[in-house]
Amino acid sequence: MTKRRSVDSHQPSKEWRWRSLLWAQFVGLAISMMLCWHSFDEALPAEQSARFLVATWRILQTSLPLAVLFVAGCILRYERLACTMMTCWWYWIFVDLIVHRWTGMHVASIEAFHLLSEKMLGLLPYLHLGMATRFGIGLALLLLLTQIGRIATRRVAKRCSDAGNNLSSLGASIAWVGAIFLLAIPAWLSWPTVLAEVQAEPSRHAFSVIGWPAPKRNDVTAFLANEAISLKLTNAAIRRRTQAFRLNVATTEPKQRPDVLFIVVESLRPELIDLDVMPHVSIAAEDGLWMQRHFSGGNASSLGLFSLFNGLDAVWFYRSDVRYAPAMNRLFHQSGYECGFFGGADDWAAFQMDAFVRNEVYDTFEVSAYDGLQSDRRAIQASEQFLADHAERGPRLAVLYLYATHAPFEIDPRFDRDQPAASRNYPIPFGPADREPIWNRYRNSARTVDHLIAPLLQHPNRIVAIVGDHGESFLDDGTIGHGTRLSASQTQTPAIVVGRNVPRKEVQEFTSHADLLPTLLSLCDIQTSNPTSFDGRDVSKHIIPPRVIAIADYLREQALLISHETGSTPTFFGLQVEISLLTPHFQLLEARNRQGNLRQSSVEETVAHGQIARKYLDQSYPE
């Protein structure tokens, strides 16, 4: 009896050792297949020369955590817990692949934590059926595969642990762990080649979920410190700018001036201003002020609208004493204008836009819950009624915010011309194979908006400004949508001003949303007491003074500095800095290319980048 109890007491341990060993191999295989599938039909020609080396290194990354968990479980006799942790490693990689493909962020990152803790509630209304379906199917398949694996490994482990079976779980374990490390030897011997491949496509490697390997970067700040270049942002400078902004008033007497219509179109990219896509806007642009190299105030709506309504770079957004005092409304009111806001959405509070988009700062304020194209049609009709000619009224400014070109991109069936076009419930995240139909849907949506606003462009006594609130990425920078990267696709947008007394001019200098308010004030012949309180410039003038533009980041207290030097080097897009105007802080980070990726810089270029930062501080926060 005693011997039987001894055998019985050890049998479960032997079976669980086999189960954990087999489960580790099953999970490793599943992760490897998932990482290969992550190519989304993209070929990696650079990898062909090092396919075997990279493959062995992938196996080590995938299996090493599993091997550690397996050994720890065997030693501590917690095989069941070890198996659970292996499953968590698998699921973590699955979720990270999806999140990184969509946003460019890893789940285990400060940015992702910030997004989930502070922004998620505001983003929930934009999750549509296509997203839910995609995630639901993926999760269901993962759970099904997990259950199949559990059943299979349990049955095989039971046979391997039978009393009459001579298979050694210890020998199999040593052989498996040893094979993992032996396969990694070729990669170690050719490490520079392997590392280059890993950095070229990091999301294909399991350790990428912890942000490894980090791109190699130059220590810009240390170098500049050695050069004795001081880059400081002080409370006194910020306080002076804030005071000048809040005390800036209109100094000209109210008189009959042209009406102003400010049309803000969601997620509008500059290449859509084309005769084939937006013919009415395109024709109008050729006869007006067309800013060819224009940037939003940031990579999200809140930052873009803030910059438009204040003439400031959006790094000022988080200062409540500025955000709650929109300069556009104040200055136009002082000049005799009635102001109205008309929008096809009502989610301003979720993104802190209710500070400057609210009933209290407008004479007429009409917004409604989002209802597809009907919301935009109602907003357009309300703005037309507000701007209708009446003998008794004075000049009016109307802000029209249109939402159709925000994902999932609303389309009037009459303008569903670019084919093949995705359905409204297209999958997110999507891969390169799906980009064309989704891009076509986006173009059709812009074509619909062009038709809707065409009648608004014809009034002879009206100035019309047409801008996007920010850009939109369709895998151009490796992500989908906006708000995640300071890349060209997420920050560049068209900016056009047409109408009475507007010069016909193509502006080739870099401009930003901060330039729109000073330009509109000038075109309406409104002078202010302190025009230097704006960050923006009047771009309707013949000579436009140069300035360094700061494009704010939605997820981080960071900005990208853009200057005329950006155009001289094709691979250099801007200089990323860490900046806060709440607790004054300014620090150089690194140079970025148009995709928002790190760009390696020479010593000479680093010095030039320091000069860009110096110019920005001198122009925006002079001592």
Side-chain angles (χ1 to χ4, degrees):
M1 293 295 292
T2 303
K3 186 175 181 179
R4 187 182 306 122
R5 284 197 299 272
S6 177
V7 171
D8 291 345
S9 64
H10 285 83
Q11 188 68 20
S13 177
K14 183 178 179 182
E15 181 179 333
W16 264 105
R17 190 175 296 118
W18 274 109
R19 287 178 65 176
S20 61
L21 175 61
L22 293 169
W23 184 244
Q25 296 178 35
F26 174 82
V27 170
L29 179 63
I31 293 175
S32 298
M33 293 177 63
M34 188 166 60
L35 291 170
C36 292
W37 168 80
H38 180 54
S39 62
F40 288 100
D41 300 325
E42 277 186 294
L44 291 178
E47 188 184 304
Q48 303 304 316
S49 61
R51 179 177 294 177
F52 175 73
L53 300 177
V54 174
T56 57
W57 185 247
R58 282 186 189 164
I59 292 173
L60 178 66
Q61 292 182 77
T62 300
S63 303
L64 182 59
L66 302 174
V68 171
L69 290 170
F70 168 73
V71 173
C74 291
I75 294 174
L76 300 175
R77 305 292 293 272
Y78 289 136
E79 292 93 342
R80 188 190 299 266
L81 177 61
C83 289
T84 301
M85 297 301 293
M86 294 177 198
T87 307
C88 291
W89 169 243
W90 178 17
Y91 284 18
W92 180 11
I93 293 176
F94 171 79
V95 173
D96 191 80
L97 285 177
I98 294 176
V99 172
H100 190 269
R101 189 64 174 182
W102 188 358
T103 67
M105 296 181 294
H106 291 292
V107 172
S109 66
I110 297 297
E111 291 85 358
F113 175 77
H114 181 63
L115 178 65
L116 290 172
S117 61
E118 298 186 17
K119 314 289 186 181
M120 184 52 68
L121 289 179
L123 297 175
L124 286 177
Y126 306 105
L127 299 177
H128 59 79
L129 182 59
M131 300 182 200
T133 302
R134 179 93 165 196
F135 282 110
I137 292 174
L139 182 60
L141 290 175
L142 192 64
L143 293 174
L144 178 62
L145 187 59
T146 302
Q147 189 62 23
I148 292 173
R150 287 182 61 189
I151 294 172
T153 54
R154 184 169 64 245
R155 290 182 177 179
V156 174
K158 189 173 183 61
R159 291 186 179 181
C160 292
S161 60
D162 285 345
N165 199 321
N166 295 322
L167 292 175
S168 170
S169 61
L170 178 61
S173 302
I174 294 174
W176 174 65
V177 174
I180 293 172
F181 286 97
L182 286 174
L183 282 173
I185 290 176
W188 281 113
L189 295 177
S190 303
W191 181 241
T193 302
V194 173
L195 183 60
E197 299 297 336
V198 173
Q199 291 176 337
E201 190 70 19
S203 59
R204 282 188 166 201
H205 296 263
F207 284 170
S208 70
V209 298
I210 58 174
W212 185 90
K216 187 178 180 181
R217 54 188 289 180
N218 292 331
D219 194 351
V220 176
T221 306
F223 179 84
L224 293 174
N226 292 335
E227 293 294 305
I229 297 177
S230 176
L231 298 171
K232 293 183 179 179
L233 185 59
T234 65
N235 253 323
I238 296 172
R239 192 163 51 248
R240 280 193 295 271
R241 280 293 314 276
T242 303
Q243 185 178 25
F245 172 81
R246 292 180 65 87
L247 295 180
N248 187 29
V249 296
T251 57
T252 48
E253 292 293 325
K255 61 181 181 181
Q256 189 61 39
R257 293 187 170 92
D259 288 340
V260 177
L261 174 59
F262 215 146
I263 303 177
V264 183
V265 184
E266 255 287 347
S267 308
L268 191 66
R269 286 179 44 151
E271 55 264 57
L272 296 181
I273 309 304
D274 179 84
L275 287 173
D276 182 50
V277 182
M278 301 186 77
H280 297 97
V281 173
S282 182
I283 292 171
E286 292 176 356
D287 289 327
L289 191 63
W290 190 353
M291 286 154 256
Q292 300 278 344
R293 306 168 81 184
H294 188 83
F295 296 90
S296 172
N299 54 6
S301 301
S302 54
L303 303 173
L305 290 180
F306 171 87
S307 193
L308 286 172
F309 296 166
N310 289 284
L312 295 174
D313 292 330
V315 294
W316 288 92
F317 176 84
Y318 295 102
R319 286 197 61 105
S320 58
D321 51 351
V322 174
R323 190 168 74 250
Y324 278 86
M328 181 183 71
N329 305 64
R330 180 177 73 252
L331 296 172
F332 275 91
H333 271 135
Q334 292 169 355
S335 303
Y337 276 78
E338 293 180 63
C339 297
F341 186 94
F342 309 92
D346 61 353
D347 57 348
W348 315 109
F351 300 96
Q352 296 180 283
M353 289 186 283
D354 55 337
F356 48 87
V357 180
R358 66 182 193 276
N359 185 59
E360 290 78 8
V361 296
Y362 287 95
D363 301 291
T364 303
F365 186 77
E366 296 187 23
V367 299
S368 61
Y370 179 64
D371 184 25
L373 278 181
Q374 292 305 317
S375 301
D376 282 356
R377 290 190 176 106
R378 285 194 298 269
I380 291 172
Q381 183 179 13
S383 67
E384 286 182 305
Q385 293 173 352
F386 179 75
L387 293 174
D389 290 326
H390 297 294
E392 301 297 325
R393 75 167 177 86
R396 291 184 172 181
L397 177 145
V399 178
L400 176 61
Y401 182 83
L402 300 178
Y403 212 80
T405 45
H406 190 286
F409 314 124
E410 306 296 345
I411 301 172
D412 185 321
R414 294 176 295 170
F415 302 101
D416 195 10
R417 296 175 187 171
D418 287 337
Q419 296 296 328
S423 69
R424 190 178 188 277
N425 293 317
Y426 64 83
I428 291 182
F430 55 82
D434 295 317
R435 184 188 188 277
E436 182 182 358
I438 295 171
W439 175 255
N440 286 341
R441 179 175 180 84
Y442 175 61
R443 283 168 55 92
N444 292 333
S445 176
R447 189 174 284 116
T448 299
V449 169
D450 181 77
H451 170 76
L452 292 175
I453 66 176
L456 304 176
L457 308 178
Q458 309 302 322
H459 199 285
N461 189 38
R462 180 182 297 169
I463 293 174
V464 182
I466 306 162
V467 299
D469 57 347
H470 49 72
E472 187 81 353
S473 178
F474 294 81
L475 298 178
D476 310 76
D477 60 6
T479 68
I480 297 163
H482 55 269
T484 56
R485 305 198 98 183
L486 289 173
S487 62
S489 57
Q490 292 194 31
T491 58
Q492 287 195 268
T493 184
I496 298 157
V497 183
V498 300
R500 198 182 88 174
N501 298 328
V502 176
R504 182 175 181 175
K505 178 183 179 183
E506 288 188 0
V507 180
Q508 297 299 331
E509 292 86 353
F510 286 124
T511 58
S512 81
H513 277 6
D515 296 314
L516 266 295
L517 179 55
T519 301
L520 289 176
L521 290 171
S522 174
L523 292 173
C524 294
D525 194 26
I526 298 173
Q527 285 94 43
T528 65
S529 60
N530 189 2
T532 61
S533 68
F534 299 120
D535 284 326
R537 310 148 297 180
D538 174 11
V539 299
S540 68
K541 301 300 184 185
H542 179 67
I543 298 177
I544 303 174
R547 83 176 184 97
V548 179
I549 295 167
I551 306 173
D553 194 343
Y554 179 61
L555 292 177
R556 312 159 188 88
E557 281 192 304
Q558 295 180 6
L560 197 72
L561 302 185
I562 306 285
S563 75
H564 65 277
E565 288 91 344
T566 297
S568 60
T569 307
T571 59
F572 175 56
F573 182 53
L575 181 64
Q576 192 167 6
V577 300
E578 196 171 274
I579 181 170
S580 173
L581 303 187
L582 296 177
T583 54
H585 173 70
F586 184 88
Q587 180 182 350
L588 286 174
L589 295 179
E590 54 217 3
R592 294 282 173 173
N593 62 19
R594 293 183 62 83
Q595 288 71 44
N597 296 323
L598 171 67
R599 177 187 180 273
Q600 297 299 322
S601 304
S602 66
V603 172
E604 293 78 11
E605 289 174 326
T606 301
V607 173
H609 298 162
Q611 295 304 318
I612 292 174
R614 167 55 59 197
K615 290 177 185 177
Y616 171 71
L617 291 175
D618 288 344
Q619 78 176 22
S620 300
Y621 314 99
E623 291 297 331

